[in-house]
């Protein structure tokens, strides 16, 4: 349920509504727009009735949100959420490009890649230090040494860094280094992890599960939001279908619907969405055309030697060409870059 305040409601009116919500055992979440304030009544609020709030001073309207996700919905927060990562505004008019290797493999590899993607126009550097691999025998990542290298790359290039966190107990360690916590597709419904990320105030990049519906994805985001962390981004990275020619099927429908249903920034990841470097460029453009606020692209200096995801990694020069094309596309869609 949301309580929409009148545009001239006073701070005291808002306060009274919040106290009423809390007195009934629910949590009040504030969304302060330029026009008016909306207050989310969060919790299992089936027993609450709209008239419990309707007669309070300053209240314009009380609306039940029919979707099961509340804080993630556009009803609660009509304007786009803009997440600020060290001065990079994500979710506003400007498109965001996140790039870097699938895994941090070593100092030279990471620093050279970081400089190359920065030069090409990337806004954030990605790189996995703790990797969720299907096989226990595959490269598992460099661990904390990888995080140290990411921090060094940020120091050298100025690019904020994003890296994956796989377990709730690892959140403090990753948050010590990273500017954005990535929650991977395999952990989209790791509820203790979502709860732990919700307790931080570090921006979260939540990747859609390969088996998750759009609604389940937004419910996962709701876990983080309801913990009080409002800095959540969602990434469509391909879902499982019958098709075997590509690693996954990037759900363009999902991008467009997520943008309509939610105010959170939405990304496309054509690397994992396709598994094939040859089609990353057209699919990245399709993501942006569908309304994505940015893309995440895997880049490797020598894809053939990559310790993970080489087949879906662009060489730096191909990545630079893609960024040039996205820059041409952006204004056509009313975006900047
Ligand atoms: C990754 O970004 O390298 C990754 C493991 O992604 P996903 O969780 O989408 O598979
Ligand atoms: Mn990868």
């Amino acid at each position: 349920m949301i309580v929409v305040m009148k545009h001239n409601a006073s701070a005291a009116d808002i306060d009274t509504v919040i106290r009423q919500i809390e007195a009934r055992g629910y949590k009040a979440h504030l969304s302060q727009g330029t026009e008016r304030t909306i207050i989310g009544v969060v919790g299992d609020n089936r027993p609450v009735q709209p008239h419990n709030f309707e007669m309070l001073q300053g209240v314009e309207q009380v609306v039940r949100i029919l979707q099961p996700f509340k804080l993630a919905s556009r009803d609660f927060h009509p304007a786009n959420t803009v997440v600020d990562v060290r001065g990079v505004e994500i979710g506003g008019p400007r498109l965001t490009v996140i790039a870097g290797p699938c895994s941090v493999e070593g100092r030279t590899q990471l620093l050279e890649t970081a400089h190359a993607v920065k030069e090409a126009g990337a806004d954030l550097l990605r790189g996995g230090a703790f990797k969720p691999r299907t096989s226990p025998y595959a490269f598992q990542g460099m661990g904390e040494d990888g995080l140290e290298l990411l921090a060094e790359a940020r120091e050298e290039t100025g690019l904020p860094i994003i890296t994956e966190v796989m377990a709730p107990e690892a959140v403090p360690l990753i948050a010590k280094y990273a500017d954005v916590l990535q929650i991977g597709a395999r952990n989209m419904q790791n509820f203790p992890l979502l709860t732990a990320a919700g307790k931080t105030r570090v921006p979260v990049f939540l990747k859609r599960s390969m088996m998750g519906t759009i609604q389940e994805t937004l419910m996962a985001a709701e876990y983080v939001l309801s913990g009080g962390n409002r800095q959540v981004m969602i990434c469509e990275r391909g879902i499982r279908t019958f098709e075997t020619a590509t690693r996954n099927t990037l759900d363009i429908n999902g991008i467009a619907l997520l943008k309509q249903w939610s105010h959170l920034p939405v990304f496309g990841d054509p690397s994992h969405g396709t598994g094939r470097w040859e089609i990353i460029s057209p699919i990245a453009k399709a993501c942006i055309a569908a309304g994505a606020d940015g893309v995440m692209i895997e880049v490797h200096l020598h894809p053939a030697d990559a310790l993970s995801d080489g087949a879906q990694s662009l060489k730096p020069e191909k990545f630079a060409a893609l960024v040039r094309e996205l820059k041409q596309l952006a204004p056509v869609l009313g975006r900047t870059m």
Side-chain angles (χ1 to χ4, degrees), residues 56-320:
L56 296 176
Q57 186 157 309
V59 171
E60 169 137 326
Q61 209 189 356
V62 180
V63 188
R64 277 204 191 275
I65 302 185
L66 296 176
Q67 302 271 33
F69 46 90
K70 314 288 178 198
L71 303 176
S73 84
R74 274 228 186 253
D75 294 330
F76 169 63
H77 192 287
N80 289 332
T81 279
V82 178
V83 175
D84 188 311
V85 180
R86 285 181 173 253
V88 179
E89 292 198 342
I90 302 175
R94 196 169 173 282
L95 297 173
T96 305
V97 177
I98 303 176
C102 177
S103 299
V104 178
E105 299 172 2
R107 188 162 183 273
T108 314
Q109 173 246 14
L110 186 69
L111 295 183
E112 279 185 24
T113 312
H115 282 291
V117 300
K118 158 97 186 187
E119 185 91 348
D123 303 293
L124 268 78
L125 175 68
R126 63 148 288 147
F130 293 88
K131 295 300 298 177
R133 303 306 300 279
T134 302
S135 165
Y137 310 121
F139 177 58
Q140 302 287 311
M142 289 182 70
E144 191 166 358
D145 291 346
L147 299 177
E148 299 263 3
L149 292 176
L150 283 164
E152 190 179 342
R154 170 177 58 207
E155 189 74 22
E156 278 207 9
T157 61
L159 292 176
I161 55 179
I162 165 171
T163 195
E164 179 160 355
V165 55
M166 292 202 290
E169 59 275 16
V171 167
L173 173 70
I174 308 290
K176 196 170 102 190
Y177 292 92
D179 300 301
V180 180
L181 302 174
Q182 176 169 324
I183 295 183
R186 290 157 193 79
N187 274 313
M188 186 195 86
Q189 287 187 314
N190 179 339
F191 300 116
L193 176 60
L194 297 169
T195 303
K199 288 193 180 128
T200 73
R201 293 299 173 264
V202 184
V204 170
F205 189 86
L206 177 65
K207 299 188 87 175
R208 179 182 179 186
S209 159
M210 53 284 261
M211 281 94 63
T213 64
I214 295 165
Q215 183 170 304
E216 285 163 347
T217 306
L218 288 168
M219 292 310 288
E222 193 79 11
Y223 266 86
V224 182
L225 296 166
S226 62
N229 187 349
R230 305 280 278 270
Q231 315 235 82
V232 181
M233 298 160 262
I234 298 179
C235 180
E236 161 58 37
R237 47 76 74 207
I239 52 175
R240 277 224 169 137
T241 67
F242 61 82
E243 183 55 73
T244 54
T246 48
R247 181 179 179 186
N248 290 291
T249 298
L250 197 137
D251 182 14
I252 294 288
N253 300 355
I255 291 177
L257 263 187
L258 282 166
K259 285 303 296 177
Q260 290 203 354
W261 287 357
S262 179
H263 53 89
L264 300 173
V266 174
F267 280 74
D269 170 355
S271 292
H272 294 86
T274 65
R276 307 181 74 116
W277 70 269
E278 323 89 273
I279 57 170
I280 287 176
S281 173
I283 303 308
K285 286 176 267 184
C287 291
I288 298 300
D293 298 294
V295 285
M296 172 179 262
I297 310 280
E298 288 185 334
V299 176
H300 202 281
L301 301 171
H302 309 289
D305 303 326
L307 296 182
S308 61
D309 288 351
Q312 60 185 45
S313 298
L314 290 182
K315 290 183 183 164
E317 57 274 18
K318 290 247 165 25
F319 170 69

Side-chain angles (χ1 to χ4, degrees), residues 45-62:
N45 56 32
R46 277 167 300 184
V48 213
Q49 292 303 318
H51 69 252
N52 296 141
F53 303 105
E54 263 158 9
M55 70 275 205
L56 296 176
Q57 186 157 309
V59 171
E60 169 137 326
Q61 209 189 356
V62 180

